[in-house]
Amino acid sequence: MTITFAPPSASKSELEGAGSFTPKFDAHGLVTAVVTDARDGELLMVAHMNAEALALTIETGVAHYYSRSRGKLWKKGETSGNLQTVTEIRTDCDQDAVWLKVSVAGHDATCHTGRRSCFYRTVHLQDGKANLDITDDHRHFDPDTIYSAS
Amino acid sequence: MTITFAPPSASKSELEGAGSFTPKFDAHGLVTAVVTDARDGELLMVAHMNAEALALTIETGVAHYYSRSRGKLWKKGETSGNLQTVTEIRTDCDQDAVWLKVSVAGHDATCHTGRRSCFYRTVHLQDGKANLDITDDHRHFDPDTIYSAS
């Protein structure tokens, strides 16, 4: 990793303007990453990035994240083949989130369940309770086969 | 608030299937909310919700968040008039993030800077440094006028 990030400016106008990208990492050293498909804008996943993952993503053009559950750098798709090539990176007004527009290789699937998007369920209010319905149940790959082989 | 949420199931298949919505709140009691425009899918903002904000959003159909900087419930658009009517709510595989598709009232702007989206800047690698360019500089309202009046 060669890119380093300066700490966020104390000036609101500098933070919200053009110039250096100074991501505002949280107490765990992470920013939120929102990932959409460059093809049609579909929301594919939400993940987190530390400085290393963010720098690698910017430098290589391939999405890297920080896995909070595994506690380490995560090159998305390394096992499944569903690598993400980044076509655009944006950040928000306070620079604590990034938006990646990506092209997905392999099975054209992002979720570990084999579905295209991790957001395959809708929330409905029914009899005073919040329930989930599965909106997209198409599996692009069989998770048992893909992940047990690694 | 009348909706309550049961704790997440220890069973991965229950957590990833249909049935009860059991959001996985983090150590601060929050889930991540990704907000897109129901009209064209544009990413408008990323925010956070506690159980109260999430329940109110589901019950009322108007987006509520939890402001980490102000430490309180935040009915988005209450000051600016840019309220968000929710047309669909989704959640992801591990239920620690929600995706709201919304229609924005008022100035059709979500960012406090007056722009349509908080993601108005792109990240570019230039001479080994990550820089920000402003991609959308159209202000739908004047922040100084709108927020100082409140």
Side-chain angles (χ1 to χ4, degrees):
Chain A
M1 166 172 125
T2 56
I3 299 179
T4 53
F5 303 104
S9 171
S11 151
K12 211 166 150 62
S13 66
E14 277 187 20
L15 202 66
E16 296 177 353
S20 283
F21 179 31
T22 57
K24 194 170 143 194
F25 297 103
D26 69 9
H28 305 286
L30 302 175
V31 292
T32 303
V34 174
V35 186
T36 64
D37 195 317
R39 190 176 54 199
D40 62 0
E42 180 80 2
L43 177 62
L44 300 177
M45 62 184 274
V46 171
H48 294 83
M49 288 175 154
N50 60 3
E52 184 185 10
L54 187 53
L56 276 170
T57 301
I58 295 170
E59 284 171 6
T60 65
V62 175
H64 292 71
Y65 304 99
Y66 179 80
S67 167
R68 293 180 301 173
S69 56
R70 294 191 295 268
K72 62 175 191 175
L73 188 76
W74 164 36
K75 185 178 179 181
K76 171 73 185 163
E78 203 162 30
T79 303
S80 67
N82 293 296
L83 292 164
Q84 299 174 340
T85 302
V86 179
T87 60
E88 188 176 292
I89 305 177
R90 293 197 181 204
T91 193
D92 66 349
C93 42
D94 58 0
Q95 302 193 39
D96 68 351
V98 293
W99 171 15
L100 309 185
K101 299 183 185 179
V102 305
S103 296
V104 180
H107 311 90
D108 192 20
T110 293
C111 188
H112 75 284
T113 64
R115 296 178 180 93
R116 181 184 172 203
S117 164
C118 294
F119 291 84
Y120 55 85
R121 292 175 296 182
T122 49
V123 180
H124 293 288
L125 186 62
Q126 196 172 20
D127 303 327
K129 289 185 178 169
N131 286 320
L132 298 177
D133 290 336
I134 294 179
T135 303
D136 173 18
D137 208 18
H138 176 63
R139 312 285 182 125
H140 294 238
F141 62 82
D142 173 10
D144 291 339
T145 308
I146 295 291
Y147 294 111
S148 67
S150 66
Chain B
M1 164 173 125
T2 55
I3 299 180
T4 53
F5 303 103
S9 171
S11 150
K12 210 166 152 58
S13 65
E14 277 187 20
L15 202 65
E16 297 176 353
S20 283
F21 178 33
T22 57
K24 194 171 143 193
F25 296 103
D26 70 9
H28 305 285
L30 303 174
V31 291
T32 304
V34 174
V35 186
T36 64
D37 195 317
R39 189 175 56 199
D40 62 0
E42 180 79 2
L43 177 62
L44 299 177
M45 63 183 274
V46 171
H48 294 82
M49 289 175 153
N50 61 3
E52 184 185 11
L54 187 53
L56 276 169
T57 302
I58 295 170
E59 284 171 8
T60 66
V62 176
H64 292 71
Y65 304 98
Y66 179 80
S67 168
R68 293 180 302 174
S69 57
R70 294 192 293 269
K72 63 175 190 176
L73 188 76
W74 165 36
K75 185 178 180 182
K76 171 72 186 163
E78 203 162 32
T79 303
S80 66
N82 293 296
L83 292 164
Q84 298 174 341
T85 302
V86 179
T87 59
E88 187 176 291
I89 306 178
R90 293 197 181 204
T91 193
D92 65 349
C93 42
D94 58 359
Q95 301 194 38
D96 66 352
V98 293
W99 172 14
L100 308 185
K101 299 183 185 181
V102 305
S103 295
V104 180
H107 311 89
D108 192 21
T110 293
C111 188
H112 75 283
T113 64
R115 297 177 180 94
R116 181 184 171 202
S117 164
C118 295
F119 291 85
Y120 55 85
R121 293 174 295 182
T122 49
V123 179
H124 292 287
L125 186 62
Q126 197 172 19
D127 303 327
K129 290 185 179 168
N131 286 320
L132 298 177
D133 289 336
I134 294 179
T135 304
D136 174 18
D137 207 18
H138 177 63
R139 312 285 183 124
H140 295 239
F141 63 82
D142 174 8
D144 291 340
T145 309
I146 294 290
Y147 294 111
S148 69
S150 65

